[in-house]
Amino acid sequence: MEIIVCLKQVVDPELPARDFAIDPATRRQVREGRPLVISTYDENALEVALQLKDRVGGKVTALTLGPQGVAGDAIRLALAMGADEAVAVDDPHGVGLLGVEKARVLTAAIRRIGRFDLVLCGCESADWVERVVGPLLAEALAAACVTFVSRIELRNGALLVRRMADEGFHQLEVRLPAVLSVTSDETNRPRLPKVKDIMTARRKPVQVWPMADLSGTSLDGDAPGVEVRDVALPERTARCEFLPGDAAAQVAALTQRLRDLKLL
Amino acid sequence: MEITLLRGAAVLLLLAVAAGIAVRKLLLIYRLIRLGSGPVPLAPLGVRLRDLVVQVLAHSKVLRRPASGILHFFIFWGFLVLLSTIVQAFGEAFVPGWTLPVIGAAPWFAFLQDVFIVLVLVGIGIALWLRLAVRPKRLAGQDPVGAYMILGLITGIMVTLLLSRGTAIVLDAPRWAAGAEVSRVVAGWFAGAARGTVGVVAAVSWWAHLLIILYFLTWIPEGKHLHLITLVPNILLRKARPRGALALLDVEHADRLGASRVEHFTWKDNLDVFACMECGRCTEVCPANSTGKELDPRRLHTDLRKQLTKVGPALLAGAGDVPRPALVGEVFSEAFLWQCLTCGACVEECPATNEHIDKIVEMRRHLAMEEARVPETMADALRSLEARGHPFRGAGLARDAWADGVAVKRLPAGERAEWLLWVGCAAALNERNHAPLQALVRLLQAARLDVGILGDEEACTGDPARRMGNEYLFQTLARQNIETLTAYGVTKIVTLCPHCYNTLRHEYPQLGGRYEVWHHTQLLARLIDEGRIRPGGAAASTITFHDPCYLGRHNGEYDAPRRVLGAIPGAKTVEMAQCRERSFCCGAGGGLYWLEDRVGQRVSHVRTSHVAATGAQVVATACPFCMLMLEDAAAATESTARPLDVAELLDRSLAEERH
Ligand code: SF4
Ligand code: SF4
């Protein structure tokens, strides 16, 4: 089983609120000086891939995008957890790409990697939460697509996946090749890497492909059809008001207010 | 004459056989010990000799338990003094009536011997009373046959000795008889007997005496009595590391990380295992065991010994792999290994100076680094340490959030300060500990001390990672911090956290980081002594102090926090029964802050019950982890005693004065 896992690096979602900032020029989150981590569900996707490899054998390739130098930690962690190969697409645009654009670059990279049975990615990224990369990849690669998958099993040559639904789950059989977007459950918590593997991961080669070398990734001309006009931090305001009068009057006024707000 | 010769030859032969058996067994044990790895650096000779005197001759640790302490003291000293009677008994095989030169025939010496015969018998009596009537829990895990066997043998030796001495007085009226008050009483029993009968009794008891001693000799190298032989070397070969420091592991070059087999330990660990006398003191004081968990520090030693004796001979014979139950997972379950708080209560108590924590951490190292098998919540903490340099997932606070509104220098902003205030993650990232931090800064500034902080550039010292067995992560964090400290030219550090204190003081030197490190209570005590802080006001409350394991037992600092509390006018301090060396862990040590305490009673709740027993209104803490544990436990158990840091209490007394 040849599996490719797409890993996005995001600013640590647990960053103290004080350190969260938006660059007004690029309309993107400021990343400089902030710790980067693998986006939460992408780690689950990697875990699902590794578990499948542990059971049926095969190869897991970790794929990430990012400007030179930034991709390092995520890739090393993926290799330490058990990925066999790693590809980083050096993306001069930095991290400002939207899902549509990312999907295009990833498609080109996956085509260059060549053979694959499965492509896994997180069901949504921890920063932009667009949820489009998986389906767009499937479209471009002419592969089957299932979203919000939590478990995968290979039984008698058929791939059975569990797709989380609002109440309960769907059990689906999928033909290969397929692109699956992965969500979390108790069976796919990312593993801790063994120390030996961390140390060998430091020496494993990582292929770095300049984005310009990938065909069909040109972002000029062919507009992505989406544009970010403005990004703002949500403002939270709290107001406190004391209702006048004695207790009975207060109760009456309060009830009225709540009715007006359609809360009662 | 011929009879004497024959007898002498027989005794020599028996002695040779018994000694041969004993030496063979001991040699095997010596080789089993040497199966372990080394080298193990040893403490300075002076320290080791002092320990020998205090712990062996004066029995300092054994005597902490009054009844069993006294009984053992009697038997131990009896054994030393009565060695003289043993030598004399053997001498008599060749020269009838032989005594040691100079002192042997002296009445005062015979008196001394008699006294110790009685004391040993009294000791045996206490032991029987303990085992049959009192039955303390800690003795329950011992092998009862062995225990009664040794009591029986010692009684036999004493009884036959008394009979020999009594009959000798009747038959020969030796010069020493004048001092032997007790033996003369025994002699009195034979007053009317025929000389021939007395002679037979004398011969029988002499032979019985000798044979029991010889049997005893062959039996010592088995079970817990081996400590008669191993204890002295075990104390004399004590490790050099301060108690709070774990051994440095060369992660890059080690061929295995941690211990998963009995042959993976050091020779000193193996010597420990053979020096254990199964007394159960460690298990009795263990906060995990006494709250109903599986961890049992005595079993740690006895089971290691069992496995070493079982598979060791085959390993010595060159068998590479011997089938046996897995050490990690079967002999000691993973739960057993993860329950240790590294509180050091066991180490403090052990009369054999055994090191329990090291062995447990070695096995955790195997789990954490070789197998990457760590309880889930601890794994989250480790992952967080890796990603963001602190173990508190979801903290969402900036490291210097507590310092908003406090005028403290920031070294990364280019300011210089004489002292670095090492904040520590537990204090920085948990709001309850912000007030103590702010209080400390106010106090230090009131004393005109020049302090600065590292803010965002401080990372976890690595203490939790190290104690969870992830030495690799510990060293990564420690190297990073040492680099930062060097960059800012830091030489003096004060910290509120005993874990940081211990790691910075004892473990960073292993990696080349050497600083003058103070715990805040030590610095505050000094500033009070120097008159630079003058507590005022009257805090009208009763305070009990909870000794943090890593300040007290691991670093021997019990007095500084008490001196600070004692300086607060009007504060009335009371001690818990479990205080100072006997303090009881809050439940957070050893990385267990990140493991839900679900088996048996909660350690933190038990500690809160100790607080409640004093009736104090305030439980003073000196550790941010203790603070978090005791706050939670106080809320959960509806305790009225509030936890407050020593710095907060002192600051309040100053604040009252400022009004
Ligand atoms: S260090 Fe503490 S918790 Fe661990 S075995 Fe010893 S007494 Fe028990
Ligand atoms: S390890 Fe020490 S305290 Fe524990 S049973 Fe053995 S001798 Fe006693």
Side-chain angles (χ1 to χ4, degrees):
Chain A
M1 183 74 65
E2 303 272 332
I3 311 171
I4 297 171
V5 186
C6 306
L7 301 172
K8 180 179 185 182
Q9 288 204 91
V10 297
V11 173
D12 186 359
E14 290 194 16
L15 192 72
R18 200 189 65 182
D19 297 337
F20 185 93
I22 289 169
D23 177 351
T26 60
R27 292 186 224 86
R28 297 292 189 275
Q29 192 182 351
V30 177
R31 293 166 78 106
E32 283 67 42
R34 275 58 169 184
L36 298 179
V37 297
I38 300 182
S39 182
T40 330
Y41 294 114
D42 295 2
E43 271 199 294
N44 299 111
L46 178 59
E47 178 62 34
V48 167
L50 294 171
Q51 286 180 13
L52 191 62
K53 184 187 98 169
D54 291 346
R55 283 198 302 268
V56 305
K59 191 174 87 183
V60 171
T61 306
L63 169 63
T64 192
L65 309 183
Q68 183 94 54
V70 171
D73 289 351
I75 284 293
R76 295 288 163 208
L77 179 56
L79 288 171
M81 284 168 71
D84 304 279
E85 286 180 10
V87 175
V89 177
D90 181 8
D91 159 18
H93 300 264
V95 286
L97 298 185
L98 291 172
V100 189
E101 301 162 310
K102 276 185 192 286
R104 200 179 298 157
V105 181
L106 289 171
T107 305
I110 291 168
R111 289 221 174 94
R112 177 154 167 198
I113 292 172
R115 244 176 69 86
F116 71 91
D117 300 302
L118 271 180
V119 174
L120 302 187
C121 58
C123 58
E124 63 186 42
S125 64
D127 49 4
W128 284 84
V129 202
E130 287 181 280
R131 302 180 176 173
V132 296
V133 170
L136 288 173
L137 281 180
E139 177 86 20
L141 296 166
C145 181
V146 182
T147 50
F148 299 99
V149 169
S150 65
R151 302 176 194 187
I152 305 183
E153 207 185 325
L154 195 65
R155 206 185 288 162
N156 306 328
L159 194 73
L160 300 177
V161 304
R162 172 182 289 210
R163 178 181 195 274
M164 299 309 285
D166 278 349
E167 283 165 21
F169 57 86
H170 305 148
Q171 189 76 28
L172 304 169
E173 193 178 322
V174 185
R175 68 170 161 72
L176 299 178
V179 178
L180 310 177
S181 85
V182 175
T183 185
S184 62
D185 80 353
E186 68 283 2
T187 64
N188 64 22
R189 289 177 64 106
R191 62 191 62 188
L192 274 184
K194 296 178 182 170
V195 166
K196 282 252 163 58
D197 296 338
I198 296 177
M199 294 192 295
T200 36
R202 286 200 306 236
R203 291 186 290 272
K204 279 195 198 169
V206 176
Q207 307 184 46
V208 181
W209 296 343
M211 196 161 95
D213 291 3
L214 295 174
S215 56
T217 61
S218 163
L219 299 174
D220 316 317
D222 194 3
V226 188
E227 186 192 341
V228 179
R229 286 274 172 80
D230 198 11
V231 183
L233 291 177
E235 246 176 77
R236 251 179 235 201
T237 48
R239 208 154 52 95
C240 178
E241 187 184 335
F242 290 92
L243 296 172
D246 62 4
Q250 283 175 331
V251 169
L254 181 62
T255 330
Q256 191 51 49
R257 287 290 184 86
L258 292 175
R259 285 222 174 88
D260 292 349
L261 290 168
K262 303 239 178 326
L263 291 172
L264 275 184
Chain B
M1 190 59 204
E2 249 164 51
I3 291 191
T4 317
L5 258 184
L6 256 175
R7 186 173 60 183
V11 166
L12 271 185
L13 186 70
L14 286 171
L15 181 62
V17 170
I21 295 175
V23 166
R24 260 190 59 146
K25 288 186 182 173
L26 284 175
L27 269 180
L28 175 64
I29 285 164
Y30 174 76
R31 293 173 62 217
L32 289 177
I33 291 171
R34 294 292 304 264
L35 259 181
S37 55
V40 178
L42 302 182
L45 189 63
V47 173
R48 293 184 268 141
L49 287 175
R50 186 203 61 203
D51 282 1
L52 189 69
V53 172
V54 174
Q55 288 180 24
V56 178
L57 299 184
H59 262 50
S60 65
K61 292 208 172 172
V62 182
L63 282 169
R64 286 187 191 166
R65 296 280 185 292
S68 53
I70 292 280
L71 94 84
H72 196 275
F73 189 77
F74 286 170
I75 294 180
F76 169 74
W77 275 100
F79 173 75
L80 286 191
V81 171
L82 297 176
L83 265 180
S84 61
T85 63
I86 294 176
V87 173
Q88 289 182 164
F90 277 95
E92 279 185 84
F94 310 97
V95 183
W98 183 81
T99 55
L100 282 172
V102 191
I103 49 172
W108 67 265
F109 191 65
F111 175 75
L112 191 72
Q113 291 172 328
D114 269 22
V115 167
F116 273 95
I117 295 173
V118 173
L119 288 180
V120 169
L121 287 171
V122 169
I124 302 275
I126 301 178
L128 286 174
W129 168 72
L130 267 180
R131 280 182 188 276
L132 296 172
V134 184
R135 298 165 177 260
K137 208 180 129 229
R138 72 182 168 87
L139 295 181
Q142 271 189 1
D143 150 38
V145 180
Y148 285 115
M149 181 88 172
I150 199 164
L151 292 178
L153 287 178
I154 297 176
T155 314
I157 295 173
M158 291 303 121
V159 170
T160 51
L161 178 61
L162 275 176
L163 286 173
S164 292
R165 285 162 77 87
T167 49
I169 293 173
V170 175
L171 296 173
D172 311 330
R175 182 163 80 83
W176 52 262
E181 305 290 340
V182 185
S183 301
R184 283 214 312 277
V185 173
V186 176
W189 299 343
F190 299 98
R195 217 177 144 75
T197 320
V198 180
V200 171
V201 174
V204 169
S205 47
W206 179 81
W207 273 108
H209 185 63
L210 237 56
L211 289 174
I212 300 177
I213 289 171
L214 290 176
Y215 178 67
F216 194 74
L217 184 64
T218 65
W219 198 63
I220 287 177
E222 268 163 52
K224 65 181 190 125
H225 312 102
L226 188 59
H227 79 269
L228 288 173
I229 293 166
T230 43
L231 190 72
V232 170
N234 202 35
I235 291 178
L236 275 180
L237 296 173
R238 220 186 66 189
K239 279 179 275 191
R241 271 183 285 121
R243 181 180 297 168
L246 292 171
L248 189 72
L249 177 66
D250 183 352
V251 182
E252 298 275 337
H253 302 107
D255 36 333
R256 65 182 149 68
L257 305 172
S260 61
R261 290 160 173 263
V262 75
E263 61 269 32
H264 291 168
F265 292 90
T266 66
W267 62 261
K268 180 61 175 68
D269 290 320
N270 295 350
L271 181 55
D272 276 10
V273 155
F274 283 112
C276 171
M277 58 205 80
E278 299 179 26
C279 68
R281 287 172 162 81
C282 51
T283 299
E284 191 179 55
V285 296
C286 172
N289 186 277
S290 63
T291 52
K293 299 178 203 357
E294 198 185 328
L295 173 61
D296 178 344
R298 166 173 53 193
R299 185 160 81 73
L300 175 72
H301 285 80
T302 52
D303 278 4
L304 278 174
R305 179 165 69 209
K306 269 187 213 147
Q307 218 183 41
L308 196 54
T309 358
K310 210 179 258 160
V311 301
L315 292 173
L316 285 170
D321 200 8
V322 185
R324 56 183 127 163
L327 194 64
V328 175
E330 288 181 87
V331 178
F332 306 117
S333 74
E334 288 180 26
F336 180 108
L337 298 172
W338 291 118
Q339 282 164 352
C340 176
L341 298 148
T342 69
C343 72
C346 50
V347 183
E348 175 70 37
E349 207 66 21
C350 178
T353 67
N354 286 351
E355 302 265 3
H356 311 60
I357 299 174
D358 295 1
K359 301 180 185 72
I360 292 175
V361 169
E362 274 310 301
M363 289 187 268
R364 283 187 181 182
R365 283 178 173 175
H366 169 77
L367 279 171
M369 294 192 285
E370 290 279 359
E371 306 210 3
R373 279 230 302 275
V374 175
E376 219 159 86
T377 43
M378 285 173 137
D380 283 342
L382 290 172
R383 239 182 247 120
S384 179
L385 273 171
E386 190 123 24
R388 44 190 89 91
H390 72 71
F392 291 96
R393 236 191 108 193
L397 277 173
R399 264 191 193 275
D400 51 0
W402 65 273
D404 288 346
V406 181
V408 59
K409 289 185 178 174
R410 320 277 171 134
L411 302 190
E415 294 176 288
R416 302 237 134 252
E418 186 192 351
W419 286 84
L420 172 70
L421 170 57
W422 183 275
V423 182
C425 314
L429 301 172
N430 293 283
E431 273 172 278
R432 173 58 190 95
N433 287 310
H434 289 183
L437 280 170
Q438 292 159 354
L440 179 61
V441 170
R442 275 194 296 272
L443 289 165
L444 297 180
Q445 288 175 343
R448 310 216 171 287
L449 227 69
D450 182 24
V451 285
I453 57 172
L454 289 173
D456 275 349
E457 292 192 29
E458 184 184 300
C460 172
T461 55
D463 157 86
R466 194 172 220 198
R467 276 150 191 86
M468 289 183 204
N470 196 331
E471 178 73 7
Y472 173 78
L473 186 51
F474 160 71
Q475 290 182 18
T476 312
L477 290 163
R479 293 218 163 85
Q480 177 189 335
N481 279 322
I482 291 173
E483 216 171 275
T484 311
L485 291 168
T486 311
Y488 292 114
V490 171
T491 55
K492 289 181 177 180
I493 300 177
V494 54
T495 180
L496 193 93
C497 176
H499 296 264
C500 296
Y501 168 74
N502 178 68
T503 299
L504 290 166
R505 181 172 169 216
H506 295 310
E507 298 191 323
Y508 276 29
Q510 297 174 341
L511 296 166
R514 282 167 221 283
Y515 319 97
E516 183 186 328
V517 190
W518 291 65
H519 186 250
H520 73 305
T521 56
Q522 295 173 323
L523 191 56
L524 291 176
R526 191 182 89 175
L527 294 171
I528 293 172
D529 286 349
E530 291 174 355
R532 292 166 71 182
I533 293 178
R534 284 177 218 279
S541 42
T542 319
I543 304 172
T544 188
F545 178 67
H546 164 72
D547 287 277
C549 306
Y550 275 82
L551 185 63
R553 275 190 297 264
H554 284 294
N555 281 285
E557 184 59 87
Y558 302 104
D559 294 328
R562 290 183 168 79
R563 264 162 50 214
V564 176
L565 293 175
I568 300 175
K572 187 170 158 282
T573 51
V574 287
E575 292 287 4
M576 289 181 257
Q578 303 78 0
C579 66
R580 302 180 72 96
E581 290 88 350
R582 283 279 177 87
S583 178
F584 193 90
C585 182
C586 68
L592 267 65
Y593 180 83
W594 293 276
L595 192 63
E596 177 90 20
D597 184 354
R598 281 209 213 92
V599 184
Q601 285 170 289
R602 282 180 191 251
V603 174
S604 60
H605 292 191
V606 171
R607 188 49 169 167
T608 305
S609 74
H610 297 162
V611 172
T614 63
Q617 292 142 304
V618 170
V619 48
T621 62
C623 169
F625 283 101
C626 298
M627 173 64 88
L628 297 172
M629 296 306 284
L630 294 180
E631 273 280 4
D632 275 0
T637 60
E638 295 178 8
S639 155
T640 49
R642 277 211 61 196
L644 286 170
D645 191 273
V646 171
E648 276 175 297
L649 286 161
L650 182 62
D651 179 55
R652 285 184 187 191
S653 84
L654 254 67
E656 278 174 38
E657 177 141 276
R658 280 188 213 120
H659 278 164

